[in-house]
Amino acid sequence: MAAAANGSAGGVDTREEFRRIYGVLKEELLRDPAFEFTESSRQWIDRMVDYNVLGGKCNRGLSVVDSYKLLKGANVLGEEEMFLASTLGWCIEWLQAFFLVLDDIMDDSHTRRGQPCWFRVPQVGNIAINDGIILRNHISRILRLHFRGKPYYADLLDLFNEVEFKTASGQLLDLITTHEGEKDLTKYNIGVHRRIVQYKTAYYSFYLPVACALLLSGEDLINYGAVEDILVKMGTYFQVQDDYLDCYGDPEFIGKIGTDIEDYKCSWLVVQALERADESQKRVLFENYGKKDPACVAKVKNLYRELNLEAIFQDYENESYKTLIADIEAQPSIAVQNVLKSFLHKIYKRQK
Ligand code: GPP
Ligand code: MG
Ligand code: MG
Ligand code: MG
């Protein structure tokens, strides 16, 4: 097997090869013999996939490759191994695209990755719902084509199904917590927040890439419960960052405009504000949270400033890092420690 030039974990070579493999997978989907493509349906899928799967940071996808290298203790992968690891990485990027296309409709968002949300593109609208379903089905097509003969194929399918179920359940919590009955901020607390973000984000963003790399290495996931727990904690920290950036991030830089205050989300920020506000500050929150009016949003942001939530977030971030490192260093395998540390260092103090 030729040793492809894809050393330097997450480096330029790996990124380029990873991107090249995207082209291969997309071409296969565009020639899927299970469907009689017309010219216009092929063009639609081509554009839709490029629009929604590309343009992100590819952290999740590249993490499969990086984790697999670390588990093997190899800097360079053979061509076939690089292809399989990257393919699983792209399946996660496809899963993310599927979630985001639908999440943006549900959250009534405007921009994503620096461009209009797919459903807001003229001539797309509700077709985006079906595109979401197609993106999900692409994952099954890709896995079937490249992994059907592997001993871990059933485990791989089961993993994607389980993670998708957890994510959709977390999304359900996110949505019904927001819209259930009368708007009542008193039901928002850190326990409610933890449950939402653990399910809607942590499993697919953190556990899934490492679980894919473990299956590819011939491991049985049953032996990795402690690793799953650490990754879920890390994913929770990641979504707290997302909640923070929704308000404090630069839309130019993060590629999306925050809507959490307008959408009445059970965000980490509003939970912190509720824990610290006095009675008159609580009134400001109750009167202004969850309204589209920019003046109301500004009042909420002012209150966040008054309560010094930026500093509280920085403390949370430092504290999370310390506990995660301690948990990781308690792991018996150095290779597993390296996988987890590499993941943590990709997100620690991220600005986007
Ligand atoms: C992100 O939450 C959550 C998801 C992408 C999961 C969606 C799940 C579905 C089953 C559709 P978010 O709304 O805070 O993300 P963002 O801030 O990027 O919109
Ligand atoms: Mg959402
Ligand atoms: Mg959203
Ligand atoms: Mg968000």
Side-chain angles (χ1 to χ4, degrees):
M1 219 174 289
N6 54 39
S8 62
V12 179
D13 296 349
T14 303
R15 222 169 238 285
E16 272 178 15
E17 179 61 2
F18 187 71
R19 179 63 179 73
R20 187 191 67 77
I21 291 166
Y22 166 82
V24 174
L25 298 174
K26 189 182 73 171
E27 276 311 307
E28 287 168 348
L29 291 166
L30 293 175
R31 321 234 157 273
D32 192 331
F35 177 61
E36 285 176 74
F37 273 99
T38 58
E39 199 39 46
S40 52
S41 58
R42 182 172 282 120
Q43 271 171 20
W44 183 281
I45 298 294
D46 193 351
R47 170 171 178 238
M48 184 277 284
V49 169
D50 279 352
Y51 196 96
N52 292 297
V53 177
L54 298 180
K57 301 181 289 289
C58 284
N59 269 345
R60 294 170 182 79
L62 283 165
S63 289
V64 179
V65 181
D66 291 346
S67 299
Y68 184 58
K69 282 183 185 167
L70 291 166
L71 287 172
K72 285 199 56 154
N75 234 331
V76 176
L77 296 178
E79 215 173 294
E80 170 75 4
E81 288 179 304
M82 177 63 188
F83 182 82
L84 291 178
S86 302
T87 297
L88 290 183
W90 280 114
C91 284
I92 301 176
E93 293 297 324
W94 245 271
L95 188 71
Q96 159 88 335
F98 153 60
F99 289 149
L100 295 182
V101 164
L102 298 180
D103 176 71
D104 283 337
I105 300 172
M106 295 183 234
D107 288 347
D108 198 19
S109 294
H110 290 266
T111 53
R112 166 75 62 191
R113 296 170 169 172
Q115 55 184 8
C117 298
W118 179 238
F119 78 101
R120 295 208 181 262
V121 171
Q123 273 104 52
V124 177
N126 280 343
I127 300 174
I129 300 170
N130 196 62
D131 287 333
I133 298 172
I134 288 192
L135 287 166
R136 173 58 182 102
N137 279 272
H138 279 170
I139 300 166
S140 310
R141 310 300 299 159
I142 296 171
L143 292 177
R144 185 171 191 271
L145 192 59
H146 295 287
F147 293 91
R148 196 164 32 151
K150 307 281 180 206
Y152 52 84
Y153 181 53
D155 290 331
L156 210 45
L157 293 182
D158 191 53
L159 174 66
F160 274 88
N161 287 339
E162 288 296 298
V163 166
E164 183 187 2
F165 171 68
K166 287 193 161 74
T167 310
S169 302
Q171 181 78 345
L172 172 74
L173 287 179
D174 177 290
L175 296 167
I176 62 176
T177 306
T178 305
H179 291 299
E180 211 174 20
E182 285 280 286
K183 285 192 170 167
D184 174 16
L185 276 182
T186 60
K187 70 188 177 190
Y188 286 3
N189 58 53
I190 199 66
V192 172
H193 179 266
R194 197 268 311 146
R195 200 201 301 256
I196 294 172
V197 308
Q198 173 173 333
Y199 285 95
K200 81 166 177 176
T201 301
Y203 284 100
Y204 92 88
S205 304
F206 285 79
Y207 174 60
L208 183 58
V210 174
C212 281
L214 285 166
L215 286 180
L216 205 52
S217 312
E219 295 293 322
D220 190 333
L221 297 180
I222 207 104
N223 300 322
Y224 288 88
V227 170
E228 174 175 340
D229 291 346
I230 294 174
L231 287 161
V232 165
K233 263 199 203 169
M234 215 186 286
T236 304
Y237 158 56
F238 176 86
Q239 182 61 38
V240 171
Q241 292 175 314
D242 182 82
D243 288 358
Y244 176 81
L245 292 170
D246 187 275
C247 178
Y248 292 104
D250 173 2
E252 281 294 317
F253 196 62
I254 62 174
K256 59 187 183 185
I257 301 163
T259 52
D260 285 352
I261 296 174
E262 290 89 332
D263 291 346
Y264 200 70
K265 289 292 180 190
C266 180
S267 154
W268 185 85
L269 292 172
V270 77
V271 168
Q272 298 307 314
L274 285 164
E275 277 182 13
R276 289 165 175 82
D278 61 26
E279 284 314 309
S280 85
Q281 290 170 322
K282 272 192 185 149
R283 257 196 311 280
V284 173
L285 269 182
F286 284 28
E287 281 163 18
N288 296 286
Y289 202 69
K291 300 206 169 124
K292 290 241 182 249
D293 181 353
C296 296
V297 176
K299 281 187 194 147
V300 173
K301 289 196 174 179
N302 269 337
L303 183 62
Y304 285 178
R305 216 157 288 131
E306 249 173 75
L307 293 169
N308 216 359
L309 292 193
E310 282 176 83
I312 289 157
F313 171 76
Q314 256 100 59
D315 289 348
Y316 168 87
E317 182 148 56
N318 293 332
E319 210 41 53
S320 303
Y321 181 80
K322 270 194 242 154
T323 16
L324 282 165
I325 287 287
D327 288 353
I328 292 169
E329 289 181 346
Q331 281 299 302
S333 151
I334 297 292
V336 167
Q337 284 192 19
N338 289 340
V339 168
L340 297 171
K341 279 187 184 167
S342 145
F343 223 144
L344 180 57
H345 288 131
K346 275 186 194 164
I347 61 160
Y348 182 52
K349 303 225 156 145
R350 72 189 175 101
Q351 301 294 316
K352 66 184 272 191

